[in-house]
Amino acid sequence: MPPATPRSRWTIALIGNPNTGKSTLFGALSGVPQRVGNYPGVTVEKTLGTILHEGMNWTLVDLPGTYSLAPRSPDEMVAVDVLLGRLDDLPAPDVVLCVVAANSLERNLYLLSQVLELGRPVVVALTMGDIAESQGVRMDIPALAERLGVPVVQLQAHRGIGLDELKEALAKAGEEPGPAVEGLFPTPFRQETEQLDRLLAGHRTLAGEHGLPRYLVERLLLDTGGYLERRLYGDGDGEAHAVHAALADARGRLAAAGCTVPAVETGARYAWIARIVDGILSHPDAPVATWGDRLDAILTHRLWGLLVLAAVLLLMFSAVFSWATVPMDAIDAGIGWISGQVQERLPDGPLVSLLTDGIIGGIGAVVVFLPQIFILFFLLTSLEECGYLSRAAYLMDRLMVKVGLSGKSFIPLLSSFACAIPGVMATRVIEDRRDRLTTILIAPLMSCSARLPVYTLMIAAFIPDRRFLGGLLGLQGLVLFAMYALGVLVAAIAALLLKRTLLKGEAPSFLMEMPVYKWPSPRVVFQRMFERGWDFLRNAGTIIFAVSIVMWGMLYYPRLSPERMAPLAAEQSRLESERERARAAGDAEEEKSAAESLATLANHIEGEQKRQSVLGRLGHLIEPAVKPLGWDWRIGSGVIASFPAREVVVATMGVIFDVGEDVEEDAGTRRLGEALRSATWPSGKPLFDVPVALSVMVFFALCAQCVSTLAVIGRETGTWTWPAFTFVYMTAAAYVASLIAYQGGTWLGL
């Protein structure tokens, strides 16, 4: 029967194997996606677009790339649930658009055979036809469509070829009933399926109000891993046990009849595929050597491939770390200029502070990450579209498998050395759910650029500049390297522990079909780049902005009492009068001295305000907890203030130690270093020494002091459980490691 949904409101599901051009086709059909989010309860991204055709707006649902509709995890179940209409927030598709690559037709038809069994109207989009032809593959497309019983449209989406014909085919297919599929499985399997279907009809309370579709009944028999069985019927008593027993008995009878599951499915489907392609598909007698094969001989070579990969990764790392500097500095300057304009036009007070430090500063804290996200996803998408990303993952798999991950985790982790935010977002290239989640959870351990100001401040102030090997190696450089190496080491340990406990599972077998080389589609590259940027602004950006406002309030209130401010204000007035008298008398030296005294007093007042604030009081509150690390309340306050962003700690400590916020320049850094070296405990003992400096650096190397990263983790995982877990485990690891660094350094007499 044709779908009951009005033709102008159809939903079309897009499905296909990875590396078949599905993403390119989605972009060509729908333009910029309307809505991007996660399916409920899983980490799979839900991308919806709109197809415009003859005045109609069809919703296009981009399903995850998959080789089969055999669900083994919640993420893999998404495609099946969408196609069967089992999700509350998404209607059943009126047409299924299945992307099939012509150069791997037999393998792609495996997924199509499962899609056809669902009974939905289907249209096949045949891609990679030009590549198949260059490889000597020949096929009769009209005959293929006739045998499949569904329209087959050949197209080149990146060039816009065949799109109009595809839309016409979708419009016609949606008006017709779904294809009638012959029985693929042998008679004993069909008999067991019918018997199981009758049994499950009496257990609808377990499988839902409307019972199970026939496809899921088949999958229950074939799902020897038990995922679908547990999902639908759980491990309860009574009826659930009856269903489990019936499934076990049915599989036993099938095995006795020579139809062992799940092998029976592979045999049945490939037998069907052989019948479909017989006489209409031909391959050359000998494989045709292509330029891609010759390129692979270099790019996947154990030596030359690694050298090329190192060059590519150096380019990516430099791009995200260095190329973004100019636009990020421009954004900072723009935010600073806007803040300056507000300060000039409004009197000092809480309103101007809220506007400049809270609202405008909060907006700046969000927007400043956009250049890094744009650059990373421009390069990642380009490398993925041209086919190189799969080669890079293949080369690095041997190393990554030692910590329970696959090669696809390498590039997101490398990107995190520049910033964990685009690194976490880059994990979308990882299909395996456990691998993706593990990579997300360890990505913040890579020392990002925001940690560098903390490292350089502490190293310059407290690590002596000793040289080794004739001056080739310096102690300061070795300490900086050690901070980066510490993050990598702890990340490897965390990955091993996660894959053996919470995300238990073996390192996945790295089976990957190398995609063919092709020129990236500019439309897809720029669309995905801007899509990720907007996604960040819309989701994580709102959280970062809100936290920035909260932190402003904690740093601003309560203000100093009038009694404490009176002598400070009187001194400020006296110095201003001295400066004006010196200016009137033309005494430049005295005027400069008065101006410097005013600046020092202003820094002292600002420091007093911060010490009086909620943040300062929290610093005093946590001092007993951080004292074993060699810290006092001032260092603790700086750590709390750095929660919105790690780099804030330098400016915050500048204020707390009466140096002022402008400590980014060399002179300001030297002044802050001098202030830290002269800081003391109430007993007169120096506050900072080498063990304390190491303790601070180690803590920031491992802690989760970045709300932006936590917000993105929440966005990518679809829950706040994993960001909370990340914060807790990283903070605990940072505390323990910092304790060891301080106590060990003190014991060694550093």
Side-chain angles (χ1 to χ4, degrees), residues 310-332:
V312 171
L313 295 179
L314 179 62
L315 174 65
M316 284 188 58
F317 189 78
S318 298
V320 179
F321 192 80
S322 302
W323 296 359
T325 299
V326 173
M328 291 176 76
D329 287 346
I331 292 172
D332 273 337

Side-chain angles (χ1 to χ4, degrees), residues 90-103:
L90 204 61
D94 300 289
V95 185
V96 179
L97 177 55
C98 188
V99 183
V100 172
N103 61 322

